[in-house]
Amino acid sequence: MAGVSALSAEILLSKRVQEMVLNGEEPQNLYISRDDCTDEAIPSPPSDPIPIIDLSLLSSAEPCSAQELQRLRLALCSWGCFQLKRTWLKKAKATSFAIVESDSFCAPCYVGKATCGFQATGHGIAKSFLDKIREVARDFFEQPAEEKRRHAKGVEEFEGYGADPVPAEGQSLDWSDRLFLDVYPEDRRKHRFWPENPKSFRKVLEEYTSRMQILTELVSKAMAKSLNLEADCFLNQFGERAALQARFNYYSRCQRPDLVLGLKAHADGSGYTIILQDDVEGLQIFKDERWITAPSISDALLVLMGDQMEIMTNGIFKSPVHRVLTSSEKERISVAVFYTPEPNKEIGPEEGLVNEERPRIYKKVKDYAGVHWEYYQQGKRALHVAEV
Ligand SMILES: O=C(O)CCC(=O)C(=O)O
Ligand SMILES: [Fe+2]
């Protein structure tokens, strides 16, 4: 991009990428982060696809679930993520929930549960609801700039519409715009950042948040069971006021996808992250020394481990490095929900995962997400600060 004037990061971050694209502007130098664009050109050996896990089989009794638990554990040890496909959450009469997946429906297990007194009340994440989230996200970003600016964040703030705060010197900027919102606990919501338009945005996001709460309970329990731990152990570490934060990402088209990333390579500082993609691929996970594209499956959610699950599992589950590519042809939307232990709560490796064969590799940490952020801004991982 020789000849393009070098604007400072602060000025660029006060502008929206979407508007730069509408104005026909090329990416400035500060957005250029890739010099590895030849990696896609090298044919890579075929790899296993990101595992698809059927949670219905994990919330059911032995022996039905043993194989799926094993698949979940392997997915999280080797990939650090898995896809949840066509999942329906059915709220039980009491406090627990069963999940039923349409295409790998485990009839004997479900019948067993039903006769144990589980009653469905229709709390399902149907594909039509996932489409609704995508629709309100798209409708929000496609509004005129003035409307979105009503919910704008300051350059150095986190919450609201805009971009990440200014990174450390030498770090590149992401070719994306975001709307970042604290969604749970409810008393942490700052409604001035919640869009009033499209009209259904708030209601849909409230509903999605409730689904995410149910899902995090299920996933946390399933992960514990897959490691032969007490089902509630991770939930107890996350705490009752564990946070859910939603980040709506809008990746505009880019004239130089060979040089510019939608989101730079990073690992998440959350416990784990639940990602809803649209039909445009772009998310890549670094595995076995190469980047692997996460397929976009319209009725699937991608569950990606963050550093704090790696700590809680004493390094057994991996928090994968991932990034988002840009495309010159299509814009892309995703919604990432970060599930993070409650503020001020100490977390650490589960005792059941520390033994002679597997000595403790991480110590207890508190408010790790803040430390993670400082390193993230320097383009570094933070996990070493938790090492013993
Ligand atoms: O857009 C995506 O698919 C991934 C987003 C992501 O990794 C993040 O927001 O941390
Ligand atoms: Fe991420």
Side-chain angles (χ1 to χ4, degrees):
M1 291 289 139
V4 178
S5 69
L7 285 179
S8 81
E10 193 163 343
I11 293 172
L12 286 171
L13 289 173
S14 66
K15 295 161 62 140
R16 300 282 55 80
V17 171
Q18 203 178 350
E19 287 164 43
M20 294 191 236
V21 173
L22 285 174
N23 295 338
E25 292 173 39
E26 283 199 13
Q28 300 275 341
N29 287 343
L30 279 167
Y31 287 99
I32 292 174
S33 59
R34 302 186 67 190
D35 51 14
D36 65 342
C37 47
T38 48
D39 60 1
E40 272 83 4
I42 302 167
S44 45
S47 87
D48 296 333
I50 293 176
I52 296 174
I53 298 292
D54 176 0
L55 267 190
S56 69
L57 303 179
L58 300 185
S59 51
S60 41
E62 303 281 335
C64 209
S65 60
Q67 201 186 356
E68 203 65 3
L69 279 174
Q70 163 112 337
R71 288 186 67 233
L72 176 68
R73 193 175 61 239
L74 286 177
L76 296 176
C77 295
S78 64
W79 280 89
C81 66
F82 60 91
Q83 298 249 35
L84 274 175
K85 201 177 157 205
R86 269 195 286 262
T87 300
W88 274 264
L89 303 176
K90 299 211 166 194
K91 191 172 182 182
K93 197 173 186 185
T95 51
S96 50
F97 304 90
I99 279 189
V100 182
E101 188 188 279
S102 65
D103 57 356
S104 52
F105 183 75
C106 178
C109 296
Y110 187 65
V111 171
K113 281 204 162 298
T115 52
C116 288
F118 283 82
Q119 276 186 21
T121 56
H123 285 48
I125 308 190
K127 178 175 173 296
S128 54
F129 186 65
L130 297 180
D131 287 341
K132 197 85 206 144
I133 293 283
R134 295 182 184 102
E135 185 186 312
V136 293
R138 184 167 292 279
D139 287 352
F140 170 74
F141 285 109
E142 284 178 354
Q143 294 178 109
E146 316 78 77
E147 179 61 34
K148 288 177 285 192
R149 285 235 173 81
R150 294 176 55 215
H151 310 288
K153 63 191 260 318
V155 169
E156 287 304 333
E157 287 165 3
F158 283 98
E159 200 165 353
Y161 169 66
D164 275 354
V166 180
E169 182 126 16
Q171 293 302 305
S172 56
L173 308 182
D174 298 328
W175 194 251
S176 66
D177 298 312
R178 293 157 191 168
L179 174 66
F180 190 89
L181 299 171
D182 282 334
V183 294
Y184 189 85
E186 280 169 34
D187 58 19
R188 297 191 55 133
R189 292 178 185 169
K190 294 182 203 70
H191 281 112
R192 67 179 185 280
F193 292 124
W194 287 50
E196 279 149 16
N197 290 307
K199 290 278 175 259
S200 58
F201 189 101
R202 291 183 176 198
K203 251 199 135 16
V204 171
L205 181 56
E206 280 166 11
E207 184 64 32
Y208 195 57
T209 304
S210 306
R211 310 297 169 98
M212 290 297 108
Q213 278 178 277
I214 297 169
L215 195 57
T216 50
E217 183 176 336
L218 269 159
V219 169
S220 301
K221 285 185 174 171
M223 292 194 297
K225 284 195 257 172
S226 81
L227 294 165
N228 292 320
L229 298 170
E230 193 59 43
D232 284 344
C233 69
F234 294 132
L235 286 172
N236 292 339
Q237 291 222 47
F238 275 93
E240 284 191 359
R241 284 181 60 82
L244 289 173
Q245 293 165 304
R247 185 152 91 175
F248 294 79
N249 297 304
Y250 188 88
Y251 303 98
S252 294
R253 286 164 211 224
C254 179
Q255 296 177 21
R256 296 305 306 262
D258 53 335
L259 299 176
V260 175
L261 286 171
L263 177 54
K264 62 177 169 252
H266 68 285
D268 288 354
S270 58
Y272 55 95
T273 308
I274 300 173
I275 298 171
L276 175 70
Q277 306 189 74
D278 69 2
D279 56 354
V280 180
E281 288 177 353
L283 173 61
Q284 293 193 317
I285 294 168
F286 195 65
K287 182 169 184 289
D288 300 335
E289 301 306 313
R290 66 202 171 97
W291 291 104
I292 294 172
T293 301
S296 106
I297 306 171
S298 62
D299 54 356
L301 290 164
L302 183 82
V303 182
L304 192 86
M305 293 301 100
D307 285 358
Q308 300 203 53
M309 270 312 290
E310 178 157 342
I311 294 170
M312 287 187 226
T313 60
N314 200 26
I316 294 177
F317 290 173
K318 299 286 179 264
S319 162
V321 172
H322 51 286
R323 69 180 185 184
V324 178
L325 303 182
T326 47
S327 157
S328 56
E329 280 161 24
K330 283 184 172 174
E331 62 279 353
R332 173 175 183 269
I333 283 179
S334 71
V335 184
V337 173
F338 302 96
Y339 179 52
T340 306
E342 70 180 41
N344 268 317
K345 187 141 184 345
E346 205 169 52
I347 60 126
E350 280 297 321
E351 287 306 323
L353 302 176
V354 179
N355 52 45
E356 259 178 38
E357 276 163 34
R358 190 169 192 97
R360 177 183 301 276
I361 60 170
Y362 293 118
K363 53 191 179 200
K364 292 190 173 165
V365 291
K366 208 158 78 166
D367 296 327
Y368 173 85
V371 182
H372 170 274
W373 175 254
E374 281 165 31
Y375 279 87
Y376 177 90
Q377 285 293 71
Q378 297 168 42
K380 295 182 187 154
R381 287 201 74 170
L383 209 42
H384 66 275
V385 306
E387 283 171 8
V388 287

